[in-house]
Amino acid sequence: MADLSKIDEQLLEQIADIHGMPRGAFNIRKDGQLVERHSSANITIEAFTDKQGIKISIAPGTKNETVHIPVIMTKAGITDVVYNDFHIGDDADVTIVAGCGIHNAGDEKTEHDGIHSFWIGKNARVRYVEKHYGEGDGIGERVLNPTTNIYMDEGSRCDMETTQLKGVSSTVRDTNAEVASGAKLVLTEKLLTHGSQTATSNMTVRLLGDDSSVQVISRSVAQDESVQIFNPLVIGEAACRGHVQCDAIIMGSAKVKAVPGIEAASEDAQLIHEAAIGKIAGDQITKLMTLGLTEEEAEAEILDDFLS
């Protein structure tokens, strides 16, 4: 196995420049074990000594770099708990790509619980993309329980997009955020469940400073007999702005429960929540069928567009 950490840093940057790729660092994990790890000149990845996981430190002012931290699970009967701490320096502008793929062809449960914590410096910008996927013809459960903690300093921005489309037996996602003055947080969640799958998403966002803001967008599709629960709560403690939007499509005998909550602890807080749950409109399917699609193709097209 090649030790990428020993490759000359200048050579890596030249390769990145030639191929137009953003420069950065990565940590690849499989079945609870490290596969490969590489730091860059501005991004350092170090393993914890007291627990499973890594500390990612991004230097102030870092631009156009990406951190990749994928997790792959291929064995039945194991539970992987990992802590990932991100320290993003002032004025940095970076992209972080994470996610977990579970392939369970056995009879025992496979579970991955990732606890991600972000400390985002002043005027820093972070784009975080996380995708979860499960597959396998075994009867063993595929379980993902992510926890995300976000601490945003003044003037920072974080765009966080999480996606889970099929294959995951059950998931409980907990997201907690504290947003300082002038900072903006955008949380976008996309979810599709089918069969007897269950998915719960709990969010608590505290807007602590003047001109802080959050936008929460949830789009989900529940099929067959699956169950989804969405519990977002935005708490405004200053002259802030918050908007929670939940849109869900329900199909078959599925159940969706959305309980968007807002709490104002300041007379200058401006908070809005809205939720909509319904089936696919018949005229949408009819319109696509007139263009030559079958009913199943029309339905799939609508769902793809809804979750895109």
mmCIF file of all heavy atoms in Angstrom, residues 88 92-94 120-128 150 152-160 179 182-186 213 215:
data_model
loop_
_atom_site.group_PDB
_atom_site.id
_atom_site.type_symbol
_atom_site.label_atom_id
_atom_site.label_comp_id
_atom_site.label_asym_id
_atom_site.label_seq_id
_atom_site.Cartn_x
_atom_site.Cartn_y
_atom_site.Cartn_z
ATOM 1 N N ILE A 88 -11.846 24.954 11.758
ATOM 2 C CA ILE A 88 -11.673 25.742 10.531
ATOM 3 C C ILE A 88 -11.226 27.140 10.916
ATOM 4 O O ILE A 88 -11.926 27.861 11.639
ATOM 5 C CB ILE A 88 -12.968 25.788 9.706
ATOM 6 C CG1 ILE A 88 -13.346 24.373 9.236
ATOM 7 C CG2 ILE A 88 -12.804 26.682 8.496
ATOM 8 C CD1 ILE A 88 -14.397 23.700 10.062
ATOM 9 N N ALA A 92 -11.025 31.100 6.175
ATOM 10 C CA ALA A 92 -10.852 29.945 5.283
ATOM 11 C C ALA A 92 -12.095 29.769 4.410
ATOM 12 O O ALA A 92 -13.187 30.244 4.742
ATOM 13 C CB ALA A 92 -10.605 28.687 6.097
ATOM 14 N N ASP A 93 -11.928 29.094 3.286
ATOM 15 C CA ASP A 93 -13.038 28.797 2.375
ATOM 16 C C ASP A 93 -12.793 27.392 1.822
ATOM 17 O O ASP A 93 -11.993 27.205 0.908
ATOM 18 C CB ASP A 93 -13.094 29.825 1.248
ATOM 19 C CG ASP A 93 -14.354 29.696 0.398
ATOM 20 O OD1 ASP A 93 -15.005 28.626 0.464
ATOM 21 O OD2 ASP A 93 -14.679 30.648 -0.324
ATOM 22 N N VAL A 94 -13.470 26.387 2.394
ATOM 23 C CA VAL A 94 -13.153 24.994 2.088
ATOM 24 C C VAL A 94 -14.431 24.181 1.876
ATOM 25 O O VAL A 94 -15.525 24.582 2.260
ATOM 26 C CB VAL A 94 -12.333 24.343 3.221
ATOM 27 C CG1 VAL A 94 -10.975 25.010 3.355
ATOM 28 C CG2 VAL A 94 -13.102 24.386 4.545
ATOM 29 N N ILE A 120 -16.111 26.729 13.456
ATOM 30 C CA ILE A 120 -15.900 27.519 12.243
ATOM 31 C C ILE A 120 -15.503 28.933 12.634
ATOM 32 O O ILE A 120 -16.249 29.639 13.314
ATOM 33 C CB ILE A 120 -17.175 27.524 11.376
ATOM 34 C CG1 ILE A 120 -17.586 26.079 11.047
ATOM 35 C CG2 ILE A 120 -16.946 28.321 10.097
ATOM 36 C CD1 ILE A 120 -18.888 25.969 10.294
ATOM 37 N N GLY A 121 -14.306 29.350 12.197
ATOM 38 C CA GLY A 121 -13.743 30.630 12.600
ATOM 39 C C GLY A 121 -14.420 31.832 11.963
ATOM 40 O O GLY A 121 -15.296 31.716 11.100
ATOM 41 N N LYS A 122 -13.985 33.011 12.387
ATOM 42 C CA LYS A 122 -14.572 34.264 11.908
ATOM 43 C C LYS A 122 -14.439 34.389 10.388
ATOM 44 O O LYS A 122 -13.377 34.154 9.823
ATOM 45 C CB LYS A 122 -13.900 35.452 12.591
ATOM 46 C CG LYS A 122 -14.201 35.570 14.080
ATOM 47 C CD LYS A 122 -13.549 36.811 14.665
ATOM 48 C CE LYS A 122 -13.877 36.937 16.148
ATOM 49 N NZ LYS A 122 -13.253 38.138 16.748
ATOM 50 N N ASN A 123 -15.550 34.740 9.767
ATOM 51 C CA ASN A 123 -15.609 35.002 8.319
ATOM 52 C C ASN A 123 -15.196 33.807 7.464
ATOM 53 O O ASN A 123 -14.931 33.959 6.271
ATOM 54 C CB ASN A 123 -14.742 36.215 7.954
ATOM 55 C CG ASN A 123 -15.169 37.466 8.693
ATOM 56 O OD1 ASN A 123 -16.350 37.784 8.756
ATOM 57 N ND2 ASN A 123 -14.211 38.166 9.277
ATOM 58 N N ALA A 124 -15.148 32.629 8.045
ATOM 59 C CA ALA A 124 -14.835 31.429 7.271
ATOM 60 C C ALA A 124 -16.077 30.936 6.544
ATOM 61 O O ALA A 124 -17.213 31.190 6.972
ATOM 62 C CB ALA A 124 -14.285 30.340 8.187
ATOM 63 N N ARG A 125 -15.854 30.191 5.466
ATOM 64 C CA ARG A 125 -16.947 29.619 4.685
ATOM 65 C C ARG A 125 -16.691 28.114 4.524
ATOM 66 O O ARG A 125 -15.601 27.710 4.114
ATOM 67 C CB ARG A 125 -17.061 30.274 3.302
ATOM 68 C CG ARG A 125 -17.387 31.760 3.349
ATOM 69 C CD ARG A 125 -17.384 32.355 1.944
ATOM 70 N NE ARG A 125 -18.448 31.792 1.138
ATOM 71 C CZ ARG A 125 -19.681 32.291 1.073
ATOM 72 N NH1 ARG A 125 -20.002 33.364 1.784
ATOM 73 N NH2 ARG A 125 -20.590 31.745 0.300
ATOM 74 N N VAL A 126 -17.705 27.335 4.829
ATOM 75 C CA VAL A 126 -17.587 25.885 4.755
ATOM 76 C C VAL A 126 -18.770 25.330 3.979
ATOM 77 O O VAL A 126 -19.927 25.676 4.246
ATOM 78 C CB VAL A 126 -17.558 25.243 6.156
ATOM 79 C CG1 VAL A 126 -17.533 23.723 6.045
ATOM 80 C CG2 VAL A 126 -16.357 25.738 6.944
ATOM 81 N N ARG A 127 -18.464 24.462 3.021
ATOM 82 C CA ARG A 127 -19.504 23.685 2.348
ATOM 83 C C ARG A 127 -19.296 22.233 2.740
ATOM 84 O O ARG A 127 -18.224 21.669 2.501
ATOM 85 C CB ARG A 127 -19.436 23.838 0.832
ATOM 86 C CG ARG A 127 -20.517 23.022 0.116
ATOM 87 C CD ARG A 127 -20.581 23.337 -1.371
ATOM 88 N NE ARG A 127 -21.641 22.569 -2.012
ATOM 89 C CZ ARG A 127 -21.429 21.473 -2.738
ATOM 90 N NH1 ARG A 127 -20.195 21.024 -2.925
ATOM 91 N NH2 ARG A 127 -22.442 20.822 -3.287
ATOM 92 N N TYR A 128 -20.306 21.651 3.354
ATOM 93 C CA TYR A 128 -20.204 20.283 3.850
ATOM 94 C C TYR A 128 -21.229 19.419 3.121
ATOM 95 O O TYR A 128 -22.424 19.735 3.110
ATOM 96 C CB TYR A 128 -20.464 20.257 5.351
ATOM 97 C CG TYR A 128 -20.439 18.874 5.965
ATOM 98 C CD1 TYR A 128 -19.237 18.224 6.211
ATOM 99 C CD2 TYR A 128 -21.622 18.224 6.306
ATOM 100 C CE1 TYR A 128 -19.211 16.962 6.793
ATOM 101 C CE2 TYR A 128 -21.612 16.964 6.878
ATOM 102 C CZ TYR A 128 -20.400 16.339 7.124
ATOM 103 O OH TYR A 128 -20.387 15.089 7.686
ATOM 104 N N ILE A 150 -22.306 22.028 15.440
ATOM 105 C CA ILE A 150 -21.751 23.147 14.676
ATOM 106 C C ILE A 150 -21.661 24.369 15.578
ATOM 107 O O ILE A 150 -22.661 24.770 16.195
ATOM 108 C CB ILE A 150 -22.649 23.474 13.465
ATOM 109 C CG1 ILE A 150 -22.963 22.209 12.660
ATOM 110 C CG2 ILE A 150 -21.981 24.517 12.576
ATOM 111 C CD1 ILE A 150 -24.142 22.370 11.721
ATOM 112 N N MET A 152 -20.465 28.250 15.195
ATOM 113 C CA MET A 152 -20.103 29.228 14.177
ATOM 114 C C MET A 152 -19.718 30.563 14.811
ATOM 115 O O MET A 152 -20.484 31.134 15.596
ATOM 116 C CB MET A 152 -21.262 29.417 13.196
ATOM 117 C CG MET A 152 -21.693 28.135 12.504
ATOM 118 S SD MET A 152 -23.030 28.395 11.317
ATOM 119 C CE MET A 152 -22.195 29.428 10.087
ATOM 120 N N ASP A 153 -18.533 31.064 14.427
ATOM 121 C CA ASP A 153 -18.056 32.354 14.917
ATOM 122 C C ASP A 153 -18.638 33.479 14.057
ATOM 123 O O ASP A 153 -19.326 33.239 13.051
ATOM 124 C CB ASP A 153 -16.529 32.384 14.898
ATOM 125 C CG ASP A 153 -15.958 33.220 16.038
ATOM 126 O OD1 ASP A 153 -16.649 34.166 16.476
ATOM 127 O OD2 ASP A 153 -14.832 32.931 16.483
ATOM 128 N N GLU A 154 -18.351 34.701 14.431
ATOM 129 C CA GLU A 154 -18.930 35.881 13.793
ATOM 130 C C GLU A 154 -18.619 35.927 12.300
ATOM 131 O O GLU A 154 -17.491 35.682 11.875
ATOM 132 C CB GLU A 154 -18.409 37.147 14.464
ATOM 133 C CG GLU A 154 -18.826 37.283 15.921
ATOM 134 C CD GLU A 154 -18.235 38.522 16.567
ATOM 135 O OE1 GLU A 154 -17.531 39.276 15.855
ATOM 136 O OE2 GLU A 154 -18.476 38.731 17.770
ATOM 137 N N GLY A 155 -19.645 36.233 11.504
ATOM 138 C CA GLY A 155 -19.468 36.439 10.067
ATOM 139 C C GLY A 155 -19.215 35.194 9.253
ATOM 140 O O GLY A 155 -18.970 35.285 8.051
ATOM 141 N N SER A 156 -19.270 34.032 9.858
ATOM 142 C CA SER A 156 -19.002 32.798 9.118
ATOM 143 C C SER A 156 -20.238 32.316 8.375
ATOM 144 O O SER A 156 -21.361 32.778 8.622
ATOM 145 C CB SER A 156 -18.506 31.705 10.065
ATOM 146 O OG SER A 156 -19.490 31.411 11.045
ATOM 147 N N ARG A 157 -20.025 31.355 7.474
ATOM 148 C CA ARG A 157 -21.133 30.758 6.735
ATOM 149 C C ARG A 157 -20.881 29.262 6.581
ATOM 150 O O ARG A 157 -19.763 28.836 6.270
ATOM 151 C CB ARG A 157 -21.310 31.389 5.354
ATOM 152 C CG ARG A 157 -22.375 30.654 4.519
ATOM 153 C CD ARG A 157 -22.763 31.348 3.274
ATOM 154 N NE ARG A 157 -23.752 30.568 2.538
ATOM 155 C CZ ARG A 157 -24.828 31.072 1.947
ATOM 156 N NH1 ARG A 157 -25.065 32.363 2.012
ATOM 157 N NH2 ARG A 157 -25.664 30.287 1.292
ATOM 158 N N CYS A 158 -21.940 28.479 6.759
ATOM 159 C CA CYS A 158 -21.851 27.033 6.590
ATOM 160 C C CYS A 158 -23.050 26.549 5.787
ATOM 161 O O CYS A 158 -24.201 26.792 6.172
ATOM 162 C CB CYS A 158 -21.807 26.333 7.944
ATOM 163 S SG CYS A 158 -21.738 24.528 7.842
ATOM 164 N N ASP A 159 -22.774 25.888 4.650
ATOM 165 C CA ASP A 159 -23.809 25.258 3.846
ATOM 166 C C ASP A 159 -23.654 23.753 3.999
ATOM 167 O O ASP A 159 -22.665 23.176 3.542
ATOM 168 C CB ASP A 159 -23.670 25.652 2.381
ATOM 169 C CG ASP A 159 -23.974 27.124 2.151
ATOM 170 O OD1 ASP A 159 -23.042 27.947 2.258
ATOM 171 O OD2 ASP A 159 -25.133 27.442 1.876
ATOM 172 N N MET A 160 -24.620 23.121 4.638
ATOM 173 C CA MET A 160 -24.523 21.702 4.963
ATOM 174 C C MET A 160 -25.634 20.933 4.254
ATOM 175 O O MET A 160 -26.824 21.196 4.467
ATOM 176 C CB MET A 160 -24.614 21.514 6.477
ATOM 177 C CG MET A 160 -24.415 20.097 6.950
ATOM 178 S SD MET A 160 -24.127 20.014 8.750
ATOM 179 C CE MET A 160 -22.470 20.708 8.874
ATOM 180 N N VAL A 179 -25.090 29.719 16.430
ATOM 181 C CA VAL A 179 -24.745 30.646 15.360
ATOM 182 C C VAL A 179 -24.524 32.039 15.942
ATOM 183 O O VAL A 179 -25.423 32.612 16.563
ATOM 184 C CB VAL A 179 -25.870 30.677 14.298
ATOM 185 C CG1 VAL A 179 -25.443 31.526 13.100
ATOM 186 C CG2 VAL A 179 -26.221 29.269 13.842
ATOM 187 N N GLY A 182 -23.908 37.771 12.731
ATOM 188 C CA GLY A 182 -23.543 37.892 11.327
ATOM 189 C C GLY A 182 -23.265 36.589 10.623
ATOM 190 O O GLY A 182 -22.913 36.588 9.445
ATOM 191 N N ALA A 183 -23.420 35.468 11.309
ATOM 192 C CA ALA A 183 -23.155 34.163 10.693
ATOM 193 C C ALA A 183 -24.429 33.610 10.067
ATOM 194 O O ALA A 183 -25.540 33.902 10.517
ATOM 195 C CB ALA A 183 -22.605 33.184 11.722
ATOM 196 N N LYS A 184 -24.255 32.773 9.035
ATOM 197 C CA LYS A 184 -25.396 32.176 8.342
ATOM 198 C C LYS A 184 -25.193 30.687 8.194
ATOM 199 O O LYS A 184 -24.149 30.227 7.738
ATOM 200 C CB LYS A 184 -25.597 32.809 6.961
ATOM 201 C CG LYS A 184 -26.804 32.226 6.207
ATOM 202 C CD LYS A 184 -27.075 32.946 4.904
ATOM 203 C CE LYS A 184 -28.322 32.384 4.224
ATOM 204 N NZ LYS A 184 -28.642 33.109 2.963
ATOM 205 N N LEU A 185 -26.229 29.933 8.552
ATOM 206 C CA LEU A 185 -26.220 28.475 8.438
ATOM 207 C C LEU A 185 -27.352 28.038 7.517
ATOM 208 O O LEU A 185 -28.498 28.466 7.688
ATOM 209 C CB LEU A 185 -26.397 27.845 9.819
ATOM 210 C CG LEU A 185 -26.566 26.321 9.879
ATOM 211 C CD1 LEU A 185 -25.332 25.605 9.352
ATOM 212 C CD2 LEU A 185 -26.878 25.884 11.308
ATOM 213 N N VAL A 186 -27.020 27.190 6.534
ATOM 214 C CA VAL A 186 -28.034 26.616 5.642
ATOM 215 C C VAL A 186 -27.956 25.104 5.772
ATOM 216 O O VAL A 186 -26.934 24.487 5.460
ATOM 217 C CB VAL A 186 -27.804 27.036 4.175
ATOM 218 C CG1 VAL A 186 -28.878 26.411 3.274
ATOM 219 C CG2 VAL A 186 -27.826 28.552 4.037
ATOM 220 N N SER A 213 -28.457 34.001 11.158
ATOM 221 C CA SER A 213 -29.601 33.468 10.425
ATOM 222 C C SER A 213 -29.415 31.984 10.150
ATOM 223 O O SER A 213 -28.297 31.475 10.116
ATOM 224 C CB SER A 213 -29.797 34.212 9.093
ATOM 225 O OG SER A 213 -28.704 34.008 8.225
ATOM 226 N N GLN A 215 -31.392 28.775 7.625
ATOM 227 C CA GLN A 215 -32.414 28.276 6.708
ATOM 228 C C GLN A 215 -32.358 26.761 6.738
ATOM 229 O O GLN A 215 -31.319 26.171 6.443
ATOM 230 C CB GLN A 215 -32.182 28.793 5.287
ATOM 231 C CG GLN A 215 -33.268 28.376 4.301
ATOM 232 C CD GLN A 215 -33.039 28.961 2.915
ATOM 233 O OE1 GLN A 215 -31.972 29.508 2.626
ATOM 234 N NE2 GLN A 215 -34.030 28.848 2.050
#
